[in-house]
């Protein structure tokens, strides 16, 4: 399930057949040039760095018995694999950052705020690898997949594909951060490498689940074909923290619901969510420690604005995505609105322990405006699907987009909730836990 950094002269770890899901781990073997943009012209903006500027040489997989498979990256997905979904504003994205700045931020000789004891404790948690033997497949997976037919099968495949893409995106980012920080902070570098292990394991497990539906993603091709979205290190920390924590609350909420309502347990992957979500939680806790290493990210007035921005971005993206796929959640016996609001509220409570400001998500006005965004988004989808000429579509979209932006701004400028870590409170002894 995990493809370690491969050197073919070393013995390769083997797994029993029942536990093995073939994992393609491109960045485990790529050169530095393969994972960093070959050209960063216009570095000042770097909004989107195309994967076409990446040159991955090959992807390796490890199968049962330690056999190594190699596949050269191509311009098209390998035969028999699923064509990647079209990229939109709501699809999972691949990210890159300023790795040189990351090295400076977490350099032990430069940053006096590094709490090395906290990172040592994090490292021990990751080394324990509690889920090493958790992701074991059984014949029940294929049997259950064959029973899912019709529209439910299509929406289930989409869920697996999106989840696999998101996990693989984390793998690529964490793997490169682990490599780049080795000299300046080997402890943090090792944690990133171990987190990439977790993400590769998750992505491989999800991709193997796709094979139950007679499909698979060519992750090597995906690495080259996707576009990178560039975020400054500060924004990467906000975004990845939120994605890990909201992932935890999504997984644990689904698991708890299905544990109480086993009649909706349609596929065994959900039985893995209880332990799986703890990986997400540990990743989020590590990003909490990283954010505290640079108080400016959590204390000045601009950090409050950016914290609210990323909270809104993550919450709205999830809400719109899930409401486009209500059939999936209804198939699990969940009410999509209730599920989403529960996840958002719990994530917001968790986030308030570290972010300097969060959104007032429990205000009825917040959900009302989210529902308006769902309606507007559906109008945009309907316009896109219509047979009208492109010029007419553009005209039709304009007032809808204007209303959409207006609702987003109204959500952003709602009175926020001041929050933050107790580690930054001056009179800490007065705090009552």
């Amino acid at each position: 399930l995990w493809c370690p950094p491969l050197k073919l002269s070393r013995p390769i770890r083997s797994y029993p057949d029942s536990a093995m899901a073939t994992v393609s781990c491109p960045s485990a073997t790529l050169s530095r040039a393969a994972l960093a943009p070959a050209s960063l012209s216009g570095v000042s903006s770097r909004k989107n760095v195309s994967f076409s500027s990446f040159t991955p040489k090959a992807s390796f997989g490890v199968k049962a018995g330690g056999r190594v498979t190699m596949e050269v990256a191509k311009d098209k997905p390998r035969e028999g694999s699923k064509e990647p979904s079209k990229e939109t504003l709501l699809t999972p994205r691949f990210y890159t950052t300023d790795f040189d700045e990351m090295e400076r931020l977490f350099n032990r000789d430069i940053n006096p705020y590094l709490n090395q004891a906290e990172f040592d404790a994090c490292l021990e948690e990751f080394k324990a690898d509690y889920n090493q033997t958790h992701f074991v497949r059984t014949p029940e997976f294929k049997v259950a997949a064959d029973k899912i037919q019709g529209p439910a099968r299509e929406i289930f495949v989409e869920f697996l594909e999106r989840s696999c893409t998101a996990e693989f995106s984390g793998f690529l980012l964490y793997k490169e951060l682990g490599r780049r920080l080795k000299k300046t902070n080997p402890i943090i570098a090792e944690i990133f490498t171990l987190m990439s292990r977790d993400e590769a394991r998750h992505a491989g497990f999800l991709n193997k689940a796709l094979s139950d539906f007679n499909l698979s993603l060519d992750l090597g091709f995906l690495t080259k074909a996707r576009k990178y979205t560039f975020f400054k290190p500060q924004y990467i920390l906000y975004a990845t923290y939120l994605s890990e924590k909201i992932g935890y609350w999504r997984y644990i909420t689904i698991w708890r619901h299905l544990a109480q309502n086993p009649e909706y347990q349609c596929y065994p992957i959900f039985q893995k969510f209880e332990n799986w979500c703890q990986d997400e939680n540990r990743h989020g806790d590590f990003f909490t420690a990283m954010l505290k290493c640079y108080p400016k990210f959590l204390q000045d007035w601009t950090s409050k604005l950016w914290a609210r921005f990323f909270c809104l971005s993550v919450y709205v993206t999830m809400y719109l995505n899930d409401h486009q796929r209500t059939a999936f959640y209804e198939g699990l016996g969940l009410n999509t609105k209730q599920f989403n609001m529960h996840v958002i509220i719990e994530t917001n409570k968790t986030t308030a322990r570290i972010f300097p400001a969060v959104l007032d998500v429990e205000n009825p006005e917040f959900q009302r405006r989210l529902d308006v965004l769902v309606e507007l988004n559906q109008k945009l989808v309907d316009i896109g699907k219509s047979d009208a000429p492109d010029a007419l579509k553009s005209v039709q979209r304009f007032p809808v987009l204007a209303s959409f932006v207006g609702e987003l701004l109204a959500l952003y400028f709602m009175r926020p909730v001041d929050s933050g870590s107790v580690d930054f409170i001056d009179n800490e002894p007065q705090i009552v836990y």
Side-chain angles (χ1 to χ4, degrees):
L1 294 174
W2 165 47
C3 176
L6 294 177
K7 294 181 180 178
L8 300 186
S9 59
R10 293 172 54 189
I12 303 299
R13 188 175 184 173
S14 62
Y15 298 86
D17 289 341
S18 62
M20 190 58 218
T22 303
V23 181
S24 179
C25 296
S27 68
T29 54
L30 300 185
S31 64
R32 176 172 179 170
L35 278 174
S39 173
L40 285 176
S41 56
V43 164
S44 57
S45 59
R46 294 193 199 173
K47 299 300 181 185
N48 285 290
V49 181
S50 172
F51 262 106
S52 62
S53 63
F54 286 60
T55 54
K57 307 302 180 186
S59 59
F60 287 80
V62 184
K63 291 188 175 181
R67 184 165 61 87
V68 179
T69 61
M70 182 183 77
E71 179 181 340
V72 178
K74 303 177 291 294
D75 293 332
K76 294 182 180 180
R78 66 173 179 269
E79 187 177 350
S81 63
K82 186 181 184 302
E83 190 75 26
S85 298
K86 182 181 178 181
E87 290 187 66
T88 69
L89 286 174
L90 298 180
T91 52
R93 311 186 76 80
F94 284 11
Y95 294 97
T96 186
T97 189
D98 186 336
F99 295 105
D100 292 332
E101 185 181 346
M102 272 286 194
E103 289 183 77
R104 290 192 296 271
L105 288 177
F106 300 103
N107 189 316
R108 292 176 298 179
D109 299 326
I110 298 175
N111 190 340
Y113 298 103
L114 286 174
N115 186 342
Q116 206 61 42
E118 190 168 8
F119 287 118
D120 289 340
C122 285
L123 179 58
E124 291 306 312
E125 278 285 296
F126 284 104
K127 281 183 174 180
D129 196 8
Y130 301 108
N131 286 335
Q132 183 179 17
T133 59
H134 178 63
F135 294 91
V136 177
R137 290 172 50 81
T138 64
E140 295 174 1
F141 279 76
K142 180 61 176 173
V143 173
D146 290 340
K147 293 179 181 178
I148 302 174
Q149 297 297 329
R153 189 177 180 89
E154 182 179 343
I155 199 77
F156 211 93
V157 166
E158 185 185 23
F159 162 75
L160 292 173
E161 179 187 357
R162 293 174 65 87
S163 300
C164 181
T165 303
E167 297 283 0
F168 188 64
S169 169
F171 162 72
L172 291 175
L173 177 64
Y174 298 163
K175 187 69 180 178
E176 180 65 1
L177 282 168
R179 191 190 66 78
R180 291 294 298 266
L181 294 172
K182 275 183 180 179
K183 291 183 179 179
T184 55
N185 198 318
I187 299 297
I188 290 179
E190 187 172 1
I191 294 173
F192 270 119
T193 300
L194 293 175
M195 288 205 308
S196 74
R197 169 204 66 194
D198 296 341
E199 300 292 300
R201 183 180 286 156
H202 301 163
F205 196 70
L206 287 160
N207 208 13
K208 190 64 177 176
L210 276 170
S211 70
D212 294 329
F213 296 83
N214 304 315
L215 296 165
S216 68
L217 283 177
D218 185 345
L219 298 180
F221 170 76
L222 202 61
T223 305
K224 186 177 181 181
R226 284 275 183 167
K227 292 180 179 179
Y228 270 172
T229 297
F230 177 84
F231 275 168
K232 291 170 57 178
Q234 178 182 3
Y235 308 154
I236 280 285
L237 295 178
Y238 290 152
T240 48
Y241 170 86
L242 282 165
S243 68
E244 298 289 1
K245 287 299 184 180
I246 206 167
Y248 165 80
W249 281 110
R250 286 173 64 83
Y251 286 170
I252 195 62
T253 301
I254 291 174
W255 182 86
R256 287 171 179 168
H257 166 74
L258 294 177
Q260 296 171 3
N261 303 275
E263 66 273 18
Y264 292 106
Q265 185 70 257
C266 59
Y267 188 64
I269 200 167
F270 299 117
Q271 297 171 4
K272 305 293 183 181
F273 276 14
E274 183 185 23
N275 285 27
W276 189 331
C277 73
Q278 297 305 326
D279 282 344
E280 314 295 330
N281 204 30
R282 276 186 287 273
H283 295 182
D285 289 344
F286 169 62
F287 283 113
T288 299
M290 293 194 74
L291 282 165
K292 288 192 292 186
C293 288
Y294 209 74
K296 182 182 176 181
F297 292 169
L298 300 172
Q299 290 182 301
D300 67 7
W301 66 273
T302 58
S303 67
K304 290 189 175 187
L305 297 178
W306 283 114
R308 288 160 55 193
F309 171 81
F310 279 98
C311 283
L312 182 62
S313 299
V314 170
Y315 300 161
V316 168
T317 300
M318 183 191 75
Y319 203 82
L320 295 180
N321 267 320
D322 287 356
H323 278 75
Q324 286 182 332
R325 298 160 181 84
T326 53
F328 174 78
Y329 297 97
E330 289 171 359
L332 298 179
L334 287 164
N335 179 294
T336 308
K337 282 188 179 181
Q338 292 177 359
F339 168 70
N340 270 239
M341 286 312 301
H342 171 75
V343 170
I344 287 173
I345 289 170
E346 294 301 327
T347 303
N348 206 57
K349 289 178 181 177
T350 303
T351 303
R353 299 171 192 163
I354 184 65
F355 278 25
V358 294
L359 305 175
D360 186 7
V361 298
E362 297 186 64
N363 186 330
E365 183 72 6
F366 184 84
Q367 183 174 347
R368 187 191 71 78
R369 291 191 180 277
L370 284 181
D371 291 336
V372 172
L373 286 175
V374 170
E375 294 173 6
L376 293 171
N377 186 59
Q378 187 57 50
K379 288 181 180 179
L380 291 172
V381 171
D382 293 340
I383 292 171
K385 290 181 178 178
S386 71
D387 296 328
D390 290 343
L392 179 58
K393 286 183 181 181
S394 298
V395 173
Q396 293 173 332
R397 285 192 185 104
F398 183 78
V400 182
L401 286 171
S403 299
F404 195 97
V405 172
E407 292 297 328
L408 284 175
L409 290 173
L411 282 167
Y412 182 78
F413 287 109
M414 284 178 63
R415 186 180 181 87
V417 178
D418 287 333
S419 56
S421 172
V422 296
D423 292 341
F424 297 117
I425 295 178
D426 295 333
N427 201 8
E428 188 173 347
Q430 293 186 3
I431 294 173
V432 178
Y433 291 90

